């Protein structure tokens, strides 16, 4: 009788021990699941790549170094832009690998790359921004990129405005309402308004210096000026809305009988705009003081 009672107690203890082990496993799994789901400071980001679609990664500062763990990945900087890289799978079903990127503000980014031809990651913003602020840094070497960004944001917030520098066509208006300078950088505050009911997609925006009048006997000469920085997204303007951004340009003067021209072209459309700025407009620019 005593033996049966002892065996029964042993079975109870064994079952209780099993229950405790199961409970501990459940608690650990729950904690681990919560950590992986909500941890905002993960050491890397997973990216799915396709061999038929291009993935773009936008960084807050210019890309200085890129390292790929496998030759099966194709990578390059976006043409004319310093802080966007483009990725594509160079081989079907490549083995999982990694991507390491260093930007000009000395930050290190790590990514895990996987193959997914059906549902790839098409766009990733690697920076910490607020709202729709998508800052682009165009291709010209400047080590003081953070300073350029800070002064561009200062120019964006300035209350002083200039008038008379605008162009309008088919309910689309482009203009410059502020011209600023700090040391060797010129800052143009540009607005684009869409008063129509059709979304305006920007195909390209150009800045260049050209002849005021084109001679019939000589070819017109144009010198394109590439922006160093832009404070926001200028690629799409929704219907009945507008956007204002600041473009940072290397300082320049306008030679005699020439003019500085801005052009914006609509993607798959004909609502193109052109705006001329002359030396007399630059005479009223505002000097940005020290931050």
């Amino acid at each position: 009788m005593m033996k049966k009672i002892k065996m029964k107690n042993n079975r109870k203890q064994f079952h209780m021990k099993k229950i405790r082990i199961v409970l501990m496993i459940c608690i650990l799994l729950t904690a681990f699941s919560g950590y992986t789901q909500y941890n905002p400071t993960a050491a890397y980001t997973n990216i799915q790549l396709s061999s038929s679609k291009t993935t773009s990664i936008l960084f807050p500062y210019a890309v200085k170094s890129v390292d790929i763990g496998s030759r099966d990945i194709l990578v390059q900087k976006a043409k004319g832009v310093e802080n966007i890289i483009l990725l594509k799978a160079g081989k079907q079903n490549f083995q999982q690998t990694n991507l390491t990127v260093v930007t000009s503000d000395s930050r290190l980014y790590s990514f895990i790359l996987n193959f997914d031809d059906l549902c790839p990651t098409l766009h990733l913003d690697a920076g910490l921004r607020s709202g729709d602020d998508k800052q682009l840094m165009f291709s010209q070497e400047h080590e003081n990129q953070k300073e350029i960004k800070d002064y561009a944001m200062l120019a964006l917030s300035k209350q002083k405005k200039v008038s008379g520098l605008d162009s309008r066509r088919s309910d689309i208006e482009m203009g410059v309402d502020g011209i600023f300078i700090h040391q060797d950088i010129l800052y143009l505050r540009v607005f684009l308004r869409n008063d129509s009911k059709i979304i305006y997609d920007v195909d390209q925006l150009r800045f260049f210096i050209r002849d005021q009048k084109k001679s019939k006997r000589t070819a017109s000469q144009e010198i394109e000026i590439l922006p160093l920085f832009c404070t926001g997204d200028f690629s799409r303007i929704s219907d009945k809305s507008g956007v204002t951004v600041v473009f940072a340009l290397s300082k320049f003067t306008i030679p005699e009988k020439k003019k500085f021209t801005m052009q914006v072209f609509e993607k798959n459309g004909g609502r193109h705009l052109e705006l001329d700025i002359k030396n007399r407009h630059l005479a009223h620019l505002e000097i940005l003081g020290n931050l």
Side-chain angles (χ1 to χ4, degrees), residues 160 162 178-181 186 280-287:
K160 182 179 178 180
V162 297
I179 305 176
F180 310 89
I181 193 169
L186 194 69
R280 58 185 174 87
H281 299 122
L282 296 180
H284 301 290
L285 57 79
E286 179 180 348
I287 298 174

Side-chain angles (χ1 to χ4, degrees), residues 105-279:
D105 60 336
S106 300
R107 288 193 63 182
L108 175 71
Y109 296 84
S110 297
F111 305 91
I112 295 297
L113 308 180
N114 299 282
F115 183 81
D116 189 336
D117 214 28
L118 296 178
C119 299
T121 305
L122 295 179
H123 176 73
L124 180 68
D125 189 343
L128 300 175
R129 297 179 179 80
S130 59
D132 295 326
D133 182 21
K134 292 179 170 53
Q135 299 160 341
L136 300 183
M137 293 183 177
F138 297 89
S139 296
Q140 286 194 21
E141 282 298 322
H142 276 265
E143 295 301 325
N144 57 340
Q145 286 179 342
K146 186 178 185 305
E147 182 178 290
I148 293 174
K149 172 187 173 182
D150 291 342
Y151 277 100
M153 298 305 294
L154 176 61
L156 187 65
S157 66
K158 285 286 186 177
Q159 298 298 317
K160 182 179 178 180
K161 293 186 177 182
V162 297
S163 58
L165 285 175
D166 61 325
S167 175
R168 188 177 181 89
R169 180 179 183 182
S170 302
D171 293 325
I172 305 298
E173 183 181 13
M174 176 181 68
V176 174
D177 65 4
I179 305 176
F180 310 89
I181 193 169
H182 179 262
Q183 295 180 354
D184 295 333
I185 307 298
L186 194 69
Y187 299 90
L188 294 182
R189 190 168 60 202
V190 180
F191 65 84
L192 187 61
R193 295 196 186 101
N194 179 9
D195 294 326
S196 73
K197 297 180 180 179
I198 302 174
I199 294 174
Y200 189 88
D201 288 305
V202 177
D203 183 38
Q204 59 176 310
L205 175 71
R206 297 182 63 219
F207 302 89
F208 53 92
I209 294 175
R210 67 178 182 179
D211 298 332
Q212 287 189 8
K213 293 182 180 180
K214 182 178 178 181
S215 173
K216 293 182 179 180
R217 296 184 178 181
T218 59
S220 177
Q221 293 184 345
E222 295 183 355
I223 302 174
E224 186 164 6
I225 300 175
L226 296 177
L228 306 173
F229 182 77
C230 177
T231 58
D233 187 6
F234 207 72
S235 61
R236 165 172 276 208
I237 315 300
S238 300
D239 54 295
K240 301 294 182 180
S241 66
V243 65
T244 299
V245 299
V246 171
F247 287 97
L249 310 170
S250 294
K251 71 174 183 180
F252 60 88
T253 56
I254 304 174
E256 187 179 356
K257 297 182 180 181
K258 293 186 180 290
K259 58 186 177 181
F260 174 71
T261 300
M262 294 173 49
Q263 287 181 338
V264 61
F265 296 91
E266 183 182 17
K267 187 176 182 180
N268 300 322
R271 296 177 293 178
H272 310 319
L273 295 174
E274 184 172 295
L275 175 64
D276 293 331
I277 297 177
K278 299 180 180 179
N279 267 323

Side-chain angles (χ1 to χ4, degrees), residues 17-57:
K17 189 174 182 180
K18 284 178 66 178
I19 291 172
R20 285 195 295 268
I21 292 173
V22 171
L23 286 173
M24 286 296 295
I25 292 174
C26 289
I27 291 171
L28 288 172
L29 287 175
T30 301
F32 179 74
S33 174
Y35 175 79
T36 55
Q37 185 176 358
Y38 298 110
N39 176 25
T41 57
Y44 56 82
T45 301
N46 282 285
I47 300 178
Q48 314 303 319
L49 297 183
S50 166
S51 58
S52 58
K53 299 179 181 69
T54 300
T55 296
S56 63
I57 308 178

